[in-house]
């Protein structure tokens, strides 16, 4: 009988994890500064990401490199317990540094055929709370990083039509920490256990694009990025628990799937006057292709069971708009904005992903000090409103507000 | 709508992106003056847990949690509880998780055991004096006390070591003590959670006594009723009224908390009534033969079988679905001495269908009285019976799932009857919820997970 005293009950809450908040849209600096638009116009070698079909329209081989610094921050308060001021809190400051490198273009002057290679970060974010915050049993820290490698080919069928495609190999890491409600007999009253999960993931997909030059002043772009199933084969799970529960929570391995969602984009670019280009993009993101982060442990005990939280993501439509104005042969400036709706339904907003509808404004400049050589600087400011959310599965609710400021610098050189 | 987002995004540039979410609902007391808070009750109110009273249990009582929240809306401290000196249990050892060796099963297993090095602390038994404001005490709860004990002179000195510790005059009636405490403190607000022991004693004794709610006094002429029986409804009602009258004699508003369904607590639900597991056909055949000889037909099968039990009339029979076996049944006797199979489990460890019906019927009657009093007196009525019922099904609070499962459920302490500090904090929040609703207050809730659960 007494053996059964420990043989029950879930003490780990499932991570829900991963969504729009972790998806980055920063793969090209000029596009970033134009609200994230870029399917219709081939600005530079970063079109390998935005529309592989545009690569064949570049003039010669280009080398492109950029780095960004993102500083996100999320504020939280639980209104009903907030008389105890300690519940109002903010995530711990972190800076993430995604980067992009592209090499590519038509293989010879005036060739219809182009090749290229892109290395970029489709996701690279995290959210770290104080270890003792109100939601610690759901999440203390989550970090998700990924890098894509995309060899690409592109072909200009006619002046009107060009196509392109790339194979995408993605590799990344996932790190999660949460407190466990298992207290030891020694030590202070309040002495949580902790679960730490670390895994490396990889997956493959593709990126296809078509670009149409309808008129001198009008271009269209269509792209499709496939879903990438990032699978973690043998991640490590470590549990800090009282000695008497060691056998209930053995350190073990886990496997999991982290799908990066498919995205279909329609883009329109217009150039009413030579100096001004305006772009509209509409992204349709297939978030509903997966329902949660499911973690399957290799060993199972009475306390250690596979983690899975229900989730009902909805697909989203993100409108983006941006403009590029060429002040002179040397200097251009960019401005843009987007409205990025959250894929997370109400009742499912977890503190490991306190996602909300986000307003994005962007701006930047490009300077061409030397022939063939361009320097880019871009800025993005993202913000949600203060939104009251609940995570019913975990019995957790509160008001969140997330803001992020991004600075990017890059250069490219045309051979 | 979008404008707001854009303003938000612009603001981000200026303030370097450090969002803060501000509190929009300031705490308010609503219609109530919380200045002086008094808690009246039994073990559940005293902070009793793990089969004993300890100072850390007292400091984690739900009245302590309520006071902390009330102090945000005007309650004045200090909040005085008659604290013990020791933390290992008074007057007996508390239970802790530990290893035991089963001499009949020859294995070591982990589970609740008595505090291993317990010795009684003489200072705990000394008379408690708060020394504050004419010996003010805010939490006057007494573990073990029933509603029907209030008119019993000498109750504290004769029957209750907890009351004896802090009663001003243990030879008087608990009602006199309450009157003294109320005039001493002049509470402006009180909570009263009384009545659980008026049914619990019967339940934990496996249903001894009459059980119908019509019991006569143990000694004719005295207002003293058998602790192992259900209190008579008439005496319950009269005394509840008396307590309430005294509690309100300083004009306090308050909340009346009803009686939980004691049959859904782990003390009664942990040992399954069909826990007789037969793995060999030989066992089945010999039990079949045994009870055929004894003259009655029992059906045994491979796998789970209902235990053989004794009912309170002394009859041996097989338990039926819904009947409950008490947590205190000696496991060694079941495993190695044939209890529940070749010998019946004694009646004191079994709640039969009739007994359960008695408990439920009388709990319902008593709760109807408590509710009627709350209506009559315009007091908040906290339906703890329903709330603790939801914990039995499992509730999730800030990532932790609390259930009524013994040890691992997190809400009930190691005695299977009383709550953990987290369980008491959940109770405090349910009381706050009711007070907020009834008195139009916005008292913030306590952060349940800040307090300890079971210590492994």
């Amino acid at each position: 009988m007494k053996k059964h005293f420990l043989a029950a009950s879930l003490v780990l809450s499932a991570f829900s994890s991963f969504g729009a908040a972790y998806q980055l849209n920063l793969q090209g600096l000029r596009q970033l500064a134009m609200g994230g638009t870029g399917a219709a116009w081939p600005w530079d070698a970063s079109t390998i990401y935005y529309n592989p079909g545009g690569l064949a329209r570049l003039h010669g081989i280009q080398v492109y490199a950029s780095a960004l610094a993102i500083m996100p921050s999320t504020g939280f308060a639980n209104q009903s317990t907030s008389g105890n001021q300690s519940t109002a809190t903010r995530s711990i400051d972190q800076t993430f540094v995604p980067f992009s490198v592209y090499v590519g273009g038509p293989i010879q002057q005036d060739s219809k055929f182009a090749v290229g290679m892109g290395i970029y970060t489709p996701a690279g974010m995290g959210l770290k709370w104080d270890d003792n915050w109100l939601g610690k049993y759901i999440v203390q820290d989550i970090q998700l990083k990924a890098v894509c490698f995309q060899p690409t080919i592109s072909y200009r069928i006619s002046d009107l039509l060009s196509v392109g495609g790339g194979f995408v190999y993605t590799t990344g890491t996932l790190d999660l920490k949460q407190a466990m409600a298992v207290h030891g007999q020694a030590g202070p009253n309040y002495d949580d256990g902790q679960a730490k999960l670390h895994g490396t993931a990889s997956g493959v997909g593709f990126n296809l694009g078509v670009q149409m030059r309808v008129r001198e002043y009008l271009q269209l772009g269509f792209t499709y990025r496939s879903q990438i199933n990032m699978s973690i084969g043998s991640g490590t799970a470590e549990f800090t628990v009282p000695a008497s529960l060691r056998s209930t929570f053995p350190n073990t391995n886990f496997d999991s799937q982290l799908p990066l969602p498919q995205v279909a984009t329609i883009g329109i670019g217009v150039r009413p006057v030579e100096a001004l280009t305006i772009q509209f993009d509409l992204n349709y993101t297939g978030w509903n292709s997966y329902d949660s982060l499911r973690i399957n442990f290799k060993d199972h005990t009475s306390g250690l069971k596979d983690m899975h939280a229900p989730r009902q993501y909805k697909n989203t439509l993100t409108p983006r708009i941006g403009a590029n104005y060429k002040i002179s042969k040397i200097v251009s400036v960019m401005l843009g904005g987007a409205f990025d709706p959250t894929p997370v339904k109400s009742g499912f907003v977890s503190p490991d992903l306190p996602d909300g509808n986000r307003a994005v404004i962007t701006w930047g400049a490009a300077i061409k000090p030397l022939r063939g050589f361009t320097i880019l600087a871009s800025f993005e400011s993202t913000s949600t409103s203060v939104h009251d959310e609940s995570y019913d599965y975990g019995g957790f609710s509160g008001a969140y507000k997330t803001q992020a400021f991004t600075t990017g610098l890059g250069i490219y050189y045309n051979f | 709508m979008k404008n707001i987002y854009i303003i938000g995004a612009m603001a981000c540039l200026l303030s370097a992106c450090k969002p803060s979410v501000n509190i929009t609902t300031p705490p308010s007391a609503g219609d109530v003056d919380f200045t002086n808070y008094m808690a009246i009750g039994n073990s559940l109110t005293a902070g009793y847990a793990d089969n004993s009273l300890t100072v850390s249990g007292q400091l984690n009582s739900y009245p302590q949690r309520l006071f902390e929240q009330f102090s945000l809306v005007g309650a004045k401290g200090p909040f005085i509880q008659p604290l013990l000196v020791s933390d290992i249990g008074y007057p007996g050892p508390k239970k802790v998780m530990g290893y035991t060796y089963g001499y009949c099963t020859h294995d070591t297993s982990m589970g609740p055991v008595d505090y291993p090095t317990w010795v009684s602390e003489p200072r705990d038994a000394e008379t408690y004096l708060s020394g504050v404001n004419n010996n003010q005490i805010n939490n006057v709860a007494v573990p073990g006390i029933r509603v029907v004990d209030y008119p019993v002179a000498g109750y504290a000195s004769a029957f209750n070591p907890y009351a004896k510790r802090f009663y001003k005059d243990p030879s008087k009636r608990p009602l006199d003590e309450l009157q003294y405490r109320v005039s001493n403190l002049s509470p402006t607000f009180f909570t009263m959670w009384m009545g659980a022991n008026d049914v619990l004693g019967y339940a934990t004794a496996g249903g001894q006594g009459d059980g119908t709610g019509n019991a006569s006094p143990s000694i004719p002429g005295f207002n003293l009723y058998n602790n192992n029986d259900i209190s008579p409804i008439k005496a319950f009602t009269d005394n509840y009224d008396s307590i309430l009258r005294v509690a309100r004699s300083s004009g306090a508003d308050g909340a009346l908390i009803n009686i939980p369904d004691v049959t859904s607590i782990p003390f009664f639900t942990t040992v399954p009534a069909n826990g007789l597991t037969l793995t060999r056909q030989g066992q089945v055949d010999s039990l079949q033969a045994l009870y055929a000889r004894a003259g009655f037909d029992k059906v045994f099968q491979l796998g789970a079988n209902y235990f053989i039990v004794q009912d309170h009339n002394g009859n041996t029979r097989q338990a039926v679905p819904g009947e409950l076996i008490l947590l205190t049944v000696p496991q060694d006797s079941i495993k190695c001495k044939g209890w529940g199979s070749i010998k019946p489990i004694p009646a004191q460890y079994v709640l039969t269908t009739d007994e359960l019906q008695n408990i439920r019927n009388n709990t319902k009657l008593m709760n109807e009285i408590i509710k009627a009093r709350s209506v009559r007196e315009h007091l908040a009525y906290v339906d703890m019976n329903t709330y603790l019922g939801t914990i039995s099904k499992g509730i999730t609070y800030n990532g932790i799932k609390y259930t009524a499962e013994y040890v691992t459920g997190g809400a009930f302490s190691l005695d299977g009857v009383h709550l953990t500090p987290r369980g008491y904090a959940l109770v405090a929040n349910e009381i706050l919820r009711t007070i907020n609703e009834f008195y139009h207050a916005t008292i913030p809730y306590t952060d349940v997970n800040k307090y300890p659960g079971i210590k492994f």
Side-chain angles (χ1 to χ4, degrees):
Chain A
M1 187 57 228
K2 284 195 171 170
K3 281 186 176 160
H4 293 274
F5 290 160
L6 296 179
S9 199
L10 179 88
V11 281
L12 294 169
S13 333
F15 291 102
S16 69
S17 180
F18 199 69
Y22 296 104
Q23 190 196 32
L24 301 180
N25 222 310
L26 316 164
Q27 287 77 6
L29 289 180
R30 193 186 300 262
Q31 294 90 334
L32 167 65
M34 297 172 73
T37 60
W41 220 278
W43 291 96
D44 49 45
S46 66
T47 196
I48 287 173
Y49 173 83
Y50 285 96
N51 188 343
L55 191 62
R57 292 191 190 273
L58 295 185
H59 304 290
I61 296 283
Q62 201 179 83
V63 178
Y64 182 110
S66 68
L68 303 98
I70 311 175
M71 285 164 281
S73 184
T74 298
F76 170 83
N78 180 303
Q79 299 288 349
S80 64
T81 34
S82 58
N84 315 315
Q85 291 292 336
S86 59
T87 67
T89 186
R90 196 160 56 212
S91 63
I92 291 168
D93 289 344
Q94 288 178 288
T95 302
F96 300 92
V97 189
F99 65 91
S100 308
V101 176
Y102 303 96
V103 182
I107 47 176
Q108 292 171 0
Q109 192 71 25
D110 298 327
S111 169
K112 291 186 168 184
F113 188 64
V115 296
M117 177 72 185
I119 303 170
Y120 52 86
T121 40
M125 287 280 267
L127 186 57
K128 190 176 166 68
W129 298 98
D130 183 89
D131 271 356
N132 246 330
W133 85 296
L134 201 66
K136 63 185 170 177
Y137 293 120
I138 298 169
V139 66
Q140 290 171 314
D141 188 8
I142 175 166
Q143 306 292 333
L144 227 139
K145 285 167 186 148
V147 178
C148 289
F149 299 85
Q150 185 190 319
T152 304
I153 53 170
S154 177
Y155 186 71
R156 182 159 53 88
I157 297 166
S158 65
D159 273 356
L160 173 69
L161 193 66
S162 66
V163 297
F167 165 83
V168 182
Y169 170 78
T170 307
T171 175
T173 58
L174 169 72
D175 283 281
L176 300 170
K177 279 183 205 162
Q178 75 176 187
M180 294 168 70
V182 287
H183 302 159
Q185 295 192 18
N189 276 351
Y190 195 59
D191 205 10
D192 285 317
Q194 193 181 44
K196 271 192 223 176
L197 274 66
H198 169 81
T200 55
S202 64
V204 295
F206 56 87
N207 185 10
L208 302 178
V210 176
Q211 215 163 56
M212 294 171 71
R213 192 172 184 184
V214 182
R215 295 280 185 276
E216 277 288 298
Y217 54 86
L218 175 66
Q219 291 202 186
L220 301 176
F222 307 92
T223 70
Y224 175 75
R225 289 178 63 79
S226 74
Q227 179 175 325
I228 299 174
N229 280 318
M230 301 281 285
S231 59
I232 297 176
S234 193
T236 56
E238 287 175 41
F239 303 99
T240 309
V241 292
S244 57
L245 292 177
R246 187 73 270 169
S247 60
T248 312
F249 294 101
N251 291 335
T252 184
N253 293 106
F254 71 94
D255 60 67
S256 185
Q257 295 275 333
L258 287 179
L260 303 175
Q262 57 183 345
V263 185
T265 303
I266 299 174
I268 301 168
V270 291
R271 190 168 272 180
V273 292
E274 176 56 29
L276 179 68
T277 312
I278 300 169
Q279 298 186 142
F280 307 92
D281 272 21
L282 193 61
N283 305 132
Y284 182 73
T285 308
W287 290 109
N288 79 343
S289 56
Y290 65 98
D291 70 341
S292 74
L293 182 61
R294 192 183 280 272
I295 291 175
N296 303 312
F297 292 106
K298 191 173 149 217
D299 297 305
H300 297 98
T301 68
S302 57
L304 187 57
K305 302 195 167 108
D306 292 343
M307 289 165 134
H308 168 238
R311 176 127 315 236
Q312 292 169 27
Y313 274 27
K314 56 193 182 199
N315 296 333
T316 58
L317 265 181
T318 306
R320 300 176 181 279
I321 183 168
N324 183 88
Y325 186 73
K326 207 168 161 182
I327 295 171
S328 68
K329 281 202 164 174
I330 296 168
V331 180
S332 300
V333 290
M334 294 81 80
L335 182 67
F339 182 75
D340 201 1
T342 177
V344 186
K345 288 185 181 170
S346 65
F348 291 89
V349 180
S350 161
D352 54 10
L353 180 68
D355 212 356
N357 297 333
R358 288 176 295 163
V360 181
I361 56 173
T362 62
W363 64 102
I367 300 166
K368 209 170 172 181
L370 299 167
R371 186 182 156 77
F373 187 68
T374 305
I375 301 171
L376 294 163
S378 297
F379 305 92
E380 180 191 61
S381 174
T382 299
S383 179
T384 69
S385 62
V386 174
H387 51 117
D388 273 306
E389 300 288 2
S390 69
Y391 178 47
D392 298 340
Y393 180 79
F396 191 81
S397 61
Y400 300 90
K401 178 177 175 66
T402 298
Q403 292 179 326
F405 188 71
T406 303
T407 308
L409 275 176
I411 49 169
Y412 62 86
Y413 185 74
N414 264 57
F415 290 96
Chain B
M1 195 63 198
K2 277 194 188 177
N3 286 337
I4 297 167
Y5 290 116
I6 289 167
I7 290 164
M10 298 292 272
C12 179
L13 314 179
L14 304 172
S15 65
C17 291
K18 291 283 153 41
S20 64
V21 180
N22 294 321
I23 289 98
T24 52
T25 318
S28 87
D31 314 334
V32 179
D33 174 5
F34 286 102
T35 309
N36 293 329
Y37 165 51
M38 175 178 272
I40 301 165
N42 50 40
S43 51
L44 291 164
T45 303
Y48 192 99
D50 299 331
N51 211 31
S52 197
L53 191 65
T54 61
V55 66
S56 62
Q58 292 176 300
L59 291 172
N60 283 308
S61 67
Y62 78 83
Q64 174 70 34
R65 293 289 95 83
L66 286 180
F67 167 74
E68 288 159 7
Q69 302 311 110
F70 291 162
S71 69
L72 301 169
V73 291
K76 275 207 305 240
F79 184 75
I80 305 285
Q81 304 191 86
L83 296 180
L84 292 162
V85 176
S86 79
D87 203 35
I88 56 177
Y90 170 82
K94 68 175 177 182
K95 295 221 179 273
V96 293
M97 291 298 282
Y99 293 97
T100 42
Y101 180 74
Y103 287 98
C104 88
T105 48
H106 302 290
D107 62 3
T108 302
S109 59
M110 194 192 183
V113 296
D114 284 348
Y115 189 84
T117 55
W118 185 86
V119 282
S120 90
E121 164 59 63
R123 284 177 296 167
D124 283 344
E126 287 169 10
T127 303
Y128 173 86
L129 293 171
S130 75
V132 176
N133 299 340
N134 194 22
N135 288 321
Q136 164 193 343
I137 295 179
N138 296 72
N139 186 348
V140 297
V142 174
I145 200 167
R146 296 172 295 175
V147 169
V148 296
D149 290 328
Y150 271 75
V152 178
Y155 171 80
S157 54
F159 303 114
N160 195 309
Y162 306 102
K164 193 179 171 185
R165 277 185 67 237
F166 74 88
Y167 269 29
K168 182 165 184 277
D169 184 351
S171 69
K172 288 193 172 169
R173 304 176 300 165
L175 202 60
D176 302 322
E177 169 75 12
L178 183 63
Q179 182 65 67
Y180 163 71
R181 293 294 165 193
V182 168
S183 37
N184 199 4
L185 181 70
S186 294
T188 58
F189 190 80
F190 75 103
T191 56
M192 175 158 150
W193 194 3
M194 285 298 306
N197 288 325
D198 293 81
V199 291
L200 185 67
Y202 175 79
T204 54
Q208 293 173 26
D210 172 72
T212 59
N214 300 309
S216 313
S218 334
I219 306 165
F222 285 88
N223 293 324
L224 194 59
Y225 294 92
N226 178 5
N227 245 318
N228 295 337
D229 202 347
I230 293 175
S231 300
I233 295 296
K234 172 80 170 63
F236 177 88
T237 310
D238 293 348
N239 287 301
Y240 199 90
D241 278 333
S242 307
I243 302 168
L244 195 52
R245 194 164 49 242
V246 171
R248 299 204 71 193
S249 56
S250 61
D253 284 317
L256 304 182
I257 303 159
N258 73 1
I259 303 170
D261 173 14
V262 299
T263 64
S264 65
I265 61 181
F267 189 84
F268 299 104
T269 57
T270 302
V271 181
N274 66 342
L276 172 60
T277 308
L278 302 178
T279 50
R280 287 178 290 111
Q281 189 59 41
Q283 295 172 316
V284 175
D285 295 342
S286 55
L287 281 175
Q288 225 44 296
L290 176 69
Y291 286 103
R293 263 206 311 281
F296 45 86
D297 242 7
K298 298 290 165 225
V299 182
F300 295 97
Q301 60 188 15
L302 285 175
N305 291 270
Y306 280 86
F307 282 125
I308 299 295
V309 299
Q310 192 184 46
D311 67 21
H312 70 284
N313 297 321
N315 299 321
T316 295
R317 62 174 178 82
Q318 194 159 22
V320 298
E323 295 188 327
L324 302 175
I325 310 293
L326 275 52
L327 184 62
T328 42
V329 67
Q331 289 293 328
D332 278 9
S333 300
I334 289 180
K335 281 187 191 128
C336 307
K337 291 183 184 159
W339 280 29
S341 52
I342 57 175
K343 286 180 210 162
I345 295 176
Q348 73 200 78
Y349 299 113
V350 183
L351 283 181
T352 61
T353 309
D354 292 352
E355 291 161 351
L356 287 164
Q357 204 52 53
N358 285 336
I359 293 165
R360 287 171 186 146
N361 286 345
N362 285 290
T363 303
K364 189 162 169 275
L365 287 173
M366 290 174 186
N367 281 343
E368 280 166 7
I369 287 157
I370 296 172
K371 185 167 189 182
R373 295 304 174 268
S374 75
V375 172
R376 190 183 74 193
E377 310 253 334
H378 306 292
L379 298 170
Y381 176 70
V382 183
D383 188 357
M384 200 54 75
N385 185 289
T386 301
Y387 181 70
L388 290 178
T390 63
I391 290 187
S392 301
K393 292 187 197 82
I395 59 161
T396 308
Y397 176 90
N398 287 356
I400 301 292
K401 187 167 186 192
Y402 291 98
T403 67
E405 199 148 356
Y406 188 43
V407 179
T408 55
F412 283 90
S413 75
L414 297 178
D415 58 32
V417 176
H418 301 91
L419 303 172
T420 60
R422 290 182 172 194
Y424 282 126
L426 288 168
V427 160
N429 278 350
E430 177 61 12
I431 296 169
L432 288 169
R433 195 187 63 74
T434 311
I435 290 172
N436 279 340
E437 199 175 286
F438 188 82
Y439 288 112
H440 313 105
T442 50
I443 308 164
Y445 295 95
T446 191
D447 178 5
V448 172
N449 293 347
K450 247 167 61 182
Y451 305 101
I454 298 284
K455 293 179 178 176
F456 289 96

